[in-house]
Amino acid sequence: MGRDERERRSPELGGVRFIGGETAALNFRKDVLAGLSRLQKSLPPKYFYDAAGSRLFERICRLREYYPTRTELSITKKNLRDIARFAGTGCALLEYGSGESLKTRLLIRALRPSVYMPVDISAAALRAAAKRLVRDFPGLGVVAITADFSQPLAIPAYRGSARRVVYFPGSTIGNLTHEEAHAFLKMTRGQVGPRGAMLVGVDLKKDANVLHAAYNDARGVTAAFNLNLLARINRELRANFELRKFAHYAFYDPAHGRIEMHLVSLARQAVRVGAERFSFEVGESIHTENSYKYSAEEFGALAAATGFSVAKTWTDAKRLFALHALINK
């Protein structure tokens, strides 16, 4: 069967359907201009992941200092049977994020979902990932949704009444403030419905030196990843950032329980983005990411406040990372 023919098949019978993505470029421009206009300049971390950024993040995940990816994968492998019992085979599996990591493939094999619905802001990355999954899992029905999963989503109808389970790995929830995380979990609870559930990866609080090393690797890959956000703005929004005039800066803020990532201006300069102009003083920064860390108890309290309850928590021996199983109360 030809590729195009496969893509037109009903996702419940195997194949892939693509939805959304029409306003992504407009939103990127709007968010960049709004962020650079603030007193504390900022850029949303969701825009890190263009093609170049995704490749750099894959390198970050293989670094010795960056423990989250390999630790979450180890937790998933070790507890896969228990995770599958919790989620239930034949469920409708929604994933917020790229949808092609080894963890995702482990879950698909274990759960044999009735339909798999990955949601990602990058249409190109989502399309490539969905096509490979359909190729590698014959009979898997995929509905690939290009959208910002931090905003309300319209989940398309599908045949059957399978339980909805949202998978949100990688501690991406840590990019949200506590207020944003509360709203996000509450929104997700509404999406999964009365019998629904969620599997969410959460980075745990730990020695600040371990955290510092994870975001300031010796090879400078995280720095390149951070700076690539400016390169993307140059490529897509007709900007003229000089990357050599900015430096990566990441630190742990114990008062807020989060890593902050910034790009710091090394010179007094002006930058153009399209027709807009932005001035920078020496030492002025663009805040590009927060990564909040939780204790297991803190995250359990956050989930409970949104109407979820923690059915199970899996962690590693060093308690670096946790995978929480949430159910709609």
Side-chain angles (χ1 to χ4, degrees):
M1 180 178 292
R3 179 179 63 183
D4 293 338
E5 188 177 353
R6 171 182 282 187
E7 288 177 24
R8 288 194 297 268
R9 293 172 61 189
S10 167
E12 291 85 352
L13 302 175
V16 58
R17 179 158 56 105
F18 298 98
I19 296 174
E22 295 82 3
T23 62
L26 291 175
N27 287 341
F28 181 42
R29 177 179 176 79
K30 179 186 70 175
D31 290 346
V32 167
L33 294 179
L36 293 178
S37 299
R38 296 190 179 102
L39 184 60
Q40 168 59 74
K41 293 179 174 67
S42 63
L43 293 168
K46 63 189 176 186
Y47 294 122
F48 279 133
Y49 301 96
D50 65 343
S54 296
R55 287 192 296 270
L56 285 165
F57 187 69
E58 288 174 3
R59 290 178 58 194
I60 289 171
C61 292
R62 295 193 293 269
L63 292 170
R64 176 184 56 82
E65 299 99 325
Y66 194 77
Y67 61 87
T69 301
R70 64 174 176 271
T71 305
E72 187 177 25
L73 177 59
S74 176
I75 292 168
T76 304
K77 285 180 175 179
K78 183 178 179 181
N79 300 283
L80 189 57
R81 189 172 297 179
D82 201 13
I83 293 167
R85 277 196 295 267
F86 165 76
T89 56
C91 66
L93 184 65
L94 289 74
E95 181 174 5
Y96 299 150
S98 65
E100 207 200 1
S101 70
L102 183 53
K103 298 187 295 288
T104 300
R105 289 167 175 265
L106 288 171
L107 279 189
I108 289 173
R109 289 191 186 96
L111 299 180
R112 301 188 300 279
S114 58
V115 62
Y116 171 64
M117 292 185 277
V119 182
D120 200 285
I121 197 169
S122 171
L126 185 65
R127 181 172 290 271
K131 288 180 179 180
R132 283 191 289 265
L133 284 171
V134 168
R135 179 196 65 204
D136 295 343
F137 292 91
L140 176 66
V142 177
V143 178
I145 306 167
T146 301
D148 180 353
F149 54 70
S150 67
Q151 303 299 318
L153 294 173
I155 302 300
Y158 54 90
R159 290 206 298 267
S161 57
R163 180 193 199 194
R164 283 186 177 180
V165 178
V166 164
Y167 182 45
F168 195 38
S171 198
T172 306
I173 197 167
N175 294 154
L176 307 177
T177 66
H178 295 311
E179 294 78 14
E180 290 168 342
H182 180 278
F184 172 78
L185 288 172
K186 193 171 183 179
M187 178 189 70
T188 300
R189 180 172 171 256
Q191 288 171 347
V192 300
R195 298 187 300 118
M198 186 177 190
L199 292 163
V200 55
V202 176
D203 200 9
L204 297 175
K205 287 185 172 177
K206 58 185 65 65
D207 183 346
N209 291 312
V210 175
L211 291 169
H212 179 83
Y215 292 84
N216 293 278
D217 63 278
R219 296 185 179 182
V221 183
T222 307
F225 173 71
N226 201 7
L227 286 162
N228 180 68
L229 184 50
L230 302 185
R232 178 182 182 183
I233 295 171
N234 284 349
R235 288 191 298 268
E236 298 183 23
L237 300 181
R238 295 186 299 111
N240 66 344
F241 281 99
E242 293 185 57
L243 272 60
R244 63 184 177 82
K245 291 185 178 181
F246 288 86
H248 166 73
Y249 178 53
F251 63 94
Y252 181 63
D253 177 358
H256 291 93
R258 71 189 186 195
I259 286 280
E260 286 190 22
M261 284 209 326
H262 292 253
L263 290 165
V264 179
S265 178
L266 302 178
R268 190 179 185 190
Q269 56 183 308
V271 174
R272 176 182 48 77
V273 181
E276 303 296 326
R277 186 176 180 274
F278 301 95
S279 298
F280 290 84
E281 297 296 328
V282 177
E284 186 177 359
S285 76
I286 306 171
H287 188 177
T288 54
E289 185 179 59
N290 289 321
S291 185
Y292 283 86
K293 313 304 174 184
Y294 292 87
S295 68
E297 294 74 21
E298 285 171 338
F299 189 79
L302 173 63
T306 69
F308 274 120
S309 61
V310 180
K312 182 80 175 179
T313 297
W314 299 280
T315 188
D316 58 290
K318 294 182 179 180
R319 296 189 64 81
L320 296 173
F321 200 93
L323 179 63
H324 296 280
L326 309 181
I327 56 174
N328 192 349
K329 292 191 288 190

